[in-house]
Amino acid sequence: VHTDETARRALHSLDKKAVLTLDGSSIRRVGFDGQVEHSAQADLGHTDFVEVEDGIYAILVRVLVEYEEGTRTIMGDAIVEVNAEGDQTQIWSAFDEFSPDLSVQFNEFDLDGTGIIVEDWTHANGISYNESEDAYLVVLSKFEAIAQIDRSTGTMNWLIAEPSIYGVEDADEPHGDFDNGGESLIVAPHSAHQIDESTVVVFNRHHGNSNECSEITEITLDHEAATASRTWTYETEDCLYVYYLGDALPLSGGNTLAIWTTSGRMEQVTPAGESVWRVELEVGTTFGFSDFSESLY
């Protein structure tokens, strides 16, 4: 399918009869014959989306809020659901839960070439959906946090984060809902998927410091004790560092499909740290996000 922009995200449709792509802020359903069946535009949508019901999509969108008498525009993120007809409903916004620390100067950039200068605050870059809990997981990269959002109410059920979140008002106050025992579990994350009520798989990119590898981490949550602990971690033997995108998708058999984006590598790994198979692209070519279907029939 020819598009005017790069399709950064692609998924199988829930009915397995089409491919869904995210081109800019437009979600397209493309049949296997290559024809676009419908296109749903989400205002300021970006990076990642998921189909939650047939023809209903949840997408990350940018939210702009002005502060200090309009001299600063802070950019956060929200979850918006959009259907095939283009109707949009906001489910949740980071501004509902947090307030930016205005003593901090966040990274500035020109928003999509519009001339609007924004400060990048939350930098959400991953969303997934857990049907059994009817809840979204949102990756808040700048917060180094994972939030679970109730789809029906738009409330934040819980947050995995360090006790102090940089860039949030009252940063010294505890924000995360789980005691991690002093271990950093979420470090420059890019994807998060919930396997069950107590298990989350995260792709941690890390910051590219010396001897700091990107990794897949499985986290166990004890909701009663309010603790979070690392179940297992996988990092490659050659210590790959992924500085753009990165994905870890849990599979039904217990393995994980890993995308080491900027190294052009895809592999399936076990919780024991074994690589089941591996595919590598030529230098200069990358994989993006991943999706997996056991059958299209």
Side-chain angles (χ1 to χ4, degrees), residues 117-263:
I117 304 301
V118 300
E119 295 181 47
D120 188 10
W121 179 45
T122 53
H123 199 93
N125 53 22
I127 183 172
S128 61
Y129 175 66
N130 183 271
E131 184 177 4
S132 63
E133 296 199 357
D134 193 28
Y136 296 110
L137 283 194
V138 178
V139 178
L140 301 170
S141 185
K142 286 292 183 72
F143 288 3
E144 303 204 307
I146 307 295
Q148 191 200 65
I149 310 300
D150 187 281
R151 183 189 176 203
S152 61
T153 65
T155 57
M156 187 170 72
N157 292 332
W158 47 255
L159 182 75
I160 309 173
E162 295 295 312
S164 175
I165 300 177
Y166 175 76
V168 173
E169 194 174 62
D170 300 322
D172 292 334
E173 298 295 323
H175 291 283
D177 294 308
F178 301 94
D179 182 355
N180 60 10
E183 185 178 16
S184 294
L185 302 175
I186 311 292
V187 186
H190 198 274
S191 76
H193 297 271
Q194 187 172 353
I195 298 176
D196 54 40
E197 182 182 5
S198 61
T199 312
V200 175
V201 173
V202 180
F203 189 95
N204 285 322
R205 289 189 299 200
H206 285 270
H207 299 293
N209 300 324
S210 179
N211 298 320
E212 205 173 55
C213 319
S214 298
E215 65 181 25
I216 301 166
T217 293
E218 183 181 279
I219 299 170
T220 297
L221 305 176
D222 187 326
H223 293 277
E224 190 171 325
T227 60
S229 58
R230 189 188 306 269
T231 312
W232 58 267
T233 294
Y234 175 81
E235 50 187 50
T236 63
E237 71 281 357
D238 47 352
C239 190
L240 295 181
Y241 166 58
V242 175
Y243 57 85
Y244 178 70
L245 297 180
D247 192 24
L249 179 67
L251 304 178
S252 59
N255 292 346
T256 301
L257 184 62
I259 305 296
W260 311 93
T261 306
T262 47
S263 294

Side-chain angles (χ1 to χ4, degrees), residues 74-135:
I74 306 297
M75 186 179 72
D77 289 278
I79 300 171
V80 164
E81 290 189 3
V82 58
N83 62 21
E85 290 73 39
D87 302 318
Q88 301 179 49
T89 303
Q90 182 170 297
I91 303 300
W92 173 85
S93 170
F95 289 99
D96 296 337
E97 306 289 344
F98 311 99
S99 296
D101 179 359
L102 297 180
S103 69
V104 176
Q105 181 68 47
F106 304 104
N107 293 338
E108 291 185 329
F109 68 94
D110 185 335
L111 180 62
D112 298 330
T114 60
I116 300 173
I117 304 301
V118 300
E119 295 181 47
D120 188 10
W121 179 45
T122 53
H123 199 93
N125 53 22
I127 183 172
S128 61
Y129 175 66
N130 183 271
E131 184 177 4
S132 63
E133 296 199 357
D134 193 28

